Amino acid sequence: MEKINREEVQTLLNRYQDEKVYVHVEVTSGMYASHMDERVFNAGMFMRNVQVVFSQGAIRGGDNGEFRVGLKLDNGGWIYVLGLTHFEVNDNDEFIMHGFNYDGKLASALEISTGEFFK
């Protein structure tokens, strides 16, 4: 994975616009985070292989190396992920955006593909 380049990511988002795609979204404060620091509140979100069509995809932010991506869905809803830092298009042509915390651990993910993700 490489650090997010705003222009490249926007171009990739545009490639999937108005197409039926599958998304994977994940946000986590860290597995068992509260076991290591009782002041940390465990929070997370996970959804995989949800098919959507988005009419607009936009990347914003980046001032401290953290970006946010919003997908405006054709039904009027939104998918919005914060804290993204890295991206790649893998060998399966899946567009992967991940956010890593200061310890290098996964904190957020937004993945887009025209086919289902591995189950």
Side-chain angles (χ1 to χ4, degrees):
M1 297 195 94
E2 59 186 84
K3 288 190 177 185
I4 286 181
N5 174 299
R6 190 174 175 162
E7 292 76 26
E8 284 185 62
V9 167
Q10 185 62 61
T11 297
L12 288 164
L13 287 169
N14 294 347
R15 187 173 109 190
Y16 293 97
Q17 190 170 304
D18 297 318
E19 301 290 332
K20 282 186 180 179
V21 295
Y22 291 89
V23 295
H24 168 87
V25 177
E26 188 171 348
V27 178
T28 180
S29 59
M31 184 63 89
Y32 307 113
S34 63
H35 291 270
M36 293 181 253
D37 184 344
E38 63 187 30
R39 297 170 295 160
V40 174
F41 179 80
N42 271 343
M45 183 275 187
F46 182 91
M47 69 179 211
R48 187 164 183 83
N49 284 327
V50 175
Q51 194 172 48
V52 300
V53 175
F54 64 91
S55 59
Q56 178 186 358
I59 182 168
R60 299 288 186 263
D63 294 337
N64 4 332
E66 298 175 11
F67 293 84
R68 58 192 184 275
V69 171
L71 305 177
K72 183 178 182 182
L73 305 181
D74 65 342
N75 67 5
W78 282 87
I79 296 173
Y80 197 73
V81 180
L82 305 170
L84 299 167
T85 59
H86 292 75
F87 81 106
E88 73 176 2
V89 176
N90 68 18
D91 293 338
N92 295 325
D93 203 33
E94 297 166 339
F95 178 25
I96 311 294
M97 293 167 279
H98 286 171
F100 297 101
N101 68 16
Y102 299 112
D103 295 325
K105 295 180 181 169
L106 183 69
S108 59
L110 173 58
E111 304 177 4
I112 303 171
S113 177
T114 56
E116 287 188 49
F117 293 99
F118 177 74
K119 294 179 183 180

